Amino acid sequence: MNIAEMQDKFFSKRAKTLLHHPQGMGNYFTFKSAIDILGLNWDDLLPNGVYNVTGDGYYDMGYMANHIGPPDSAIKAFKEHATRAEMAVYPPDCLPELKALVAEHKFGRKLGPDFTVMGVEGAQGGIGYTYMTYLGEGDEVIVTDPAYFHFVPAAEACGASVKAIKLGKHNGYKLDPKEVEAAITPKTKMIVVCDPINPFGVVATKEELLAIADIARKNNIVIFNNVTHNTHQTDPSAKQIPMASLHTPETPMDHVISVSGISKGYGMPALRVGFMAGHPGLLRGTFLIKMEITKIHINYEGQYAALAAMQDHDYIEKSTEIIRRNYKHIEETVAKTDGVTIPVKPQYGFCMIIDISGTGVSAQEISTALLKYKIATITGDGLGDVGATEYIRLNYSHPDIKCFELFREALPKAIKDAQTGMYKDGVIKFFEGIGSDRGNEIVKQLKAK
């Protein structure tokens, strides 16, 4: 058998679901795809196999690592607990003091008989465990389009099907309760409420959250509330509200599973520390699945680092100032650049979308050209059908203003290069090699131009 035949023979249904999925890792366009098109050396941009671009002179505005990095208090706490004794034991699921802090600080609710927190391997681990616990064959999940890369493929790998609500100006680039209610069928099992929403960074109002929670409660649907990006307030006038915090006897939130982590807010993705929260009875299923699959608790030293970071208010204040400065710089750059717009101003976090549809070329061609000028970005096809060739997602967390000065110089140059058509064949070849339905549609669009 050749490799393709072996994949067909040996892969599980779950793996086959992801093999050519448009949002499966490696199947959507990123700066890594551009590396090959430009003929660059991977080791020069991604030394030691890291996921983020760290090569000399390059700036990563693609993957959602917090480039500000961790607070000094977290590093100090990590070092203090990197002892022989603490490395020689299986760690606790979640330190009691950390569990209590996370409950209130990230989810806005106190621990009690009807609410608890458990540790998972980053917010990403929380996504996987949530889906594995609550989804099965034949279930339907309501998600947005566009959405975070892994919301759709992970659900489908569990046997569920996805009903996507398209985001745009008409609904403020976030879930509209009326659209959510209209999407519900007898098979609906889960509603994914990513708030702040990746990739736009906008947040839902209290009224919208209560309405969605009420709709789900009446229809016996579980809500997955991902609040990963709620640490940094880009827009001082905005207020993000965790759904768990809305729990009252009149509006119970026992059907809400909440997830967060320390990668985005506190710049520590390497530690793989995250949290799930909800009713102990519902988290019992997650605990059992987690123990049978990984059997280990989250990084012990990392838990102490997280504890220190969440109490470092000076760090949050200073890092928020950096993020606000950077967004303003990008806003000014876009205003100076023909054919580029910002669909909606981000309110929280440090991810945003620029729409390049007015340039007459694809996001993938511009992204390739941007890497030529040492700016790494990710395009919209990894986030959904909406904006697949029009959107570029930007990470604006880098502490060095030179990143954004270079982006200002690079963007018009990249557009001009892309308009020559010099990268079209390389982009087409990439998607033809993947063979996904979304990629094939992009190939048709590019060949028609």
Side-chain angles (χ1 to χ4, degrees):
M1 290 189 291
N2 60 33
I3 291 298
E5 291 171 333
M6 293 175 72
Q7 288 176 335
D8 185 63
K9 175 69 175 177
F10 299 143
F11 278 10
S12 67
K13 183 178 179 180
R14 290 182 294 275
K16 288 179 182 178
T17 297
L18 301 175
L19 190 59
H20 299 292
H21 196 288
Q23 287 171 271
M25 181 62 74
N27 293 346
Y28 49 85
F29 199 90
T30 70
F31 56 78
K32 295 182 179 180
S33 317
I35 290 174
D36 293 332
I37 292 174
L38 294 170
L40 300 176
N41 188 323
W42 277 57
D43 291 335
D44 290 342
L45 277 75
L46 307 161
N48 299 318
V50 298
Y51 269 77
N52 303 107
V53 170
T54 58
D56 184 38
Y58 286 88
Y59 289 99
D60 192 338
M61 297 179 71
Y63 282 130
M64 287 293 106
N66 181 342
H67 296 302
I68 296 168
D72 291 339
S73 57
I75 297 172
K76 180 181 177 182
F78 185 92
K79 290 180 177 178
E80 287 177 350
H81 291 277
T83 66
R84 180 179 297 275
E86 287 169 305
M87 287 185 180
V89 297
Y90 285 112
D93 162 58
C94 195
L95 291 164
E97 58 267 47
L98 178 59
K99 185 175 291 193
L101 181 63
V102 168
E104 296 185 44
H105 189 68
K106 300 306 294 183
F107 304 120
R109 190 171 168 190
K110 291 183 179 293
L111 296 174
D114 56 357
F115 188 73
T116 192
V117 172
M118 67 176 285
V120 291
E121 298 90 334
Q124 185 68 51
I127 297 171
Y129 292 129
T130 298
Y131 284 174
M132 284 190 287
T133 303
Y134 306 108
L135 297 180
E137 293 287 340
D139 291 334
E140 287 183 353
V141 184
I142 295 174
V143 300
T144 61
D145 182 354
Y148 176 56
F149 304 106
H150 305 292
F151 286 157
V152 171
E156 293 181 351
C158 291
S161 59
V162 166
K163 293 196 72 174
I165 293 178
K166 294 183 177 181
L167 301 182
K169 189 175 181 180
H170 68 285
N171 53 20
Y173 299 90
K174 57 183 176 178
L175 284 175
D176 181 326
K178 292 181 181 178
E179 291 183 294
V180 171
E181 190 165 32
I184 290 173
T185 75
K187 293 182 179 180
T188 305
K189 185 72 170 293
M190 179 183 290
I191 302 169
V192 176
V193 181
C194 185
D195 185 58
I197 193 163
N198 185 345
F200 295 107
V202 295
V203 297
T205 65
K206 179 180 179 180
E207 292 72 25
E208 289 166 341
L209 294 173
L210 285 171
I212 292 171
D214 184 59
I215 291 166
R217 194 183 304 111
K218 289 177 178 177
N219 289 276
N220 297 318
I221 295 169
V222 66
I223 290 177
F224 171 40
N225 183 213
N226 188 312
V227 298
T228 304
H229 287 269
N230 74 348
T231 305
H232 295 102
Q233 186 186 37
T234 303
D235 181 351
S237 66
K239 181 173 176 57
Q240 192 276 341
I241 303 170
M243 294 188 83
S245 69
L246 300 175
H247 178 84
T248 68
E250 293 74 33
T251 60
M253 296 291 164
D254 294 338
H255 60 317
V256 175
I257 301 298
S258 303
V259 165
S260 188
I262 64 169
S263 299
K264 307 301 183 289
Y266 306 98
M268 298 186 283
L271 297 185
R272 309 314 306 139
V273 171
F275 313 99
M276 287 182 68
H279 194 287
L282 291 185
L283 288 191
R284 172 65 177 163
T286 303
F287 171 79
L288 292 170
I289 284 178
K290 184 178 186 298
M291 291 305 294
E292 293 308 316
I293 292 176
T294 65
K295 296 189 186 295
I296 53 175
H297 294 151
I298 55 177
N299 187 296
Y300 204 0
E301 295 75 19
Q303 293 189 48
Y304 284 104
L307 184 63
M310 287 185 193
Q311 298 175 89
D312 194 333
H313 303 298
D314 185 56
Y315 168 82
I316 295 301
E317 182 178 341
K318 290 180 178 178
S319 56
T320 299
E321 288 177 2
I322 291 170
I323 285 169
R324 289 176 180 174
R325 176 204 68 183
N326 295 346
Y327 172 72
K328 183 179 180 182
H329 202 283
I330 292 176
E331 199 173 43
E332 293 170 353
T333 297
V334 170
K336 296 172 183 284
T337 309
D338 291 339
V340 183
T341 60
I342 298 172
V344 62
K345 180 179 179 178
Q347 296 172 305
Y348 268 77
F350 47 81
C351 73
M352 63 179 292
I353 287 291
I354 58 170
D355 186 329
I356 55 78
S357 55
T359 66
V361 287
S362 71
Q364 289 74 20
E365 292 167 275
I366 292 175
S367 184
T368 301
L370 281 170
L371 190 66
K372 171 185 171 183
Y373 296 107
K374 298 194 171 184
I375 294 289
T377 58
I378 288 179
T379 56
D381 61 284
L383 302 165
D385 288 327
V386 175
T389 57
E390 295 81 31
Y391 286 170
I392 294 177
R393 191 187 72 174
L394 299 179
N395 174 341
Y396 54 97
S397 70
H398 208 291
D400 189 348
I401 195 65
K402 291 180 181 178
C403 168
F404 305 96
E405 292 171 346
L406 180 59
F407 178 70
R408 180 169 292 179
E409 295 176 10
L411 184 59
K413 292 179 183 178
I415 292 169
K416 187 176 180 180
D417 284 359
Q419 287 171 337
T420 69
M422 62 195 299
Y423 300 121
K424 181 189 287 189
D425 289 345
V427 173
I428 288 173
K429 183 178 179 181
F430 168 80
F431 284 113
E432 286 180 336
I434 299 302
S436 69
D437 291 341
R438 184 177 299 156
N440 291 337
E441 182 58 35
I442 291 172
V443 168
K444 289 181 184 178
Q445 292 177 25
L446 291 176
K447 287 185 174 179
K449 290 184 178 181

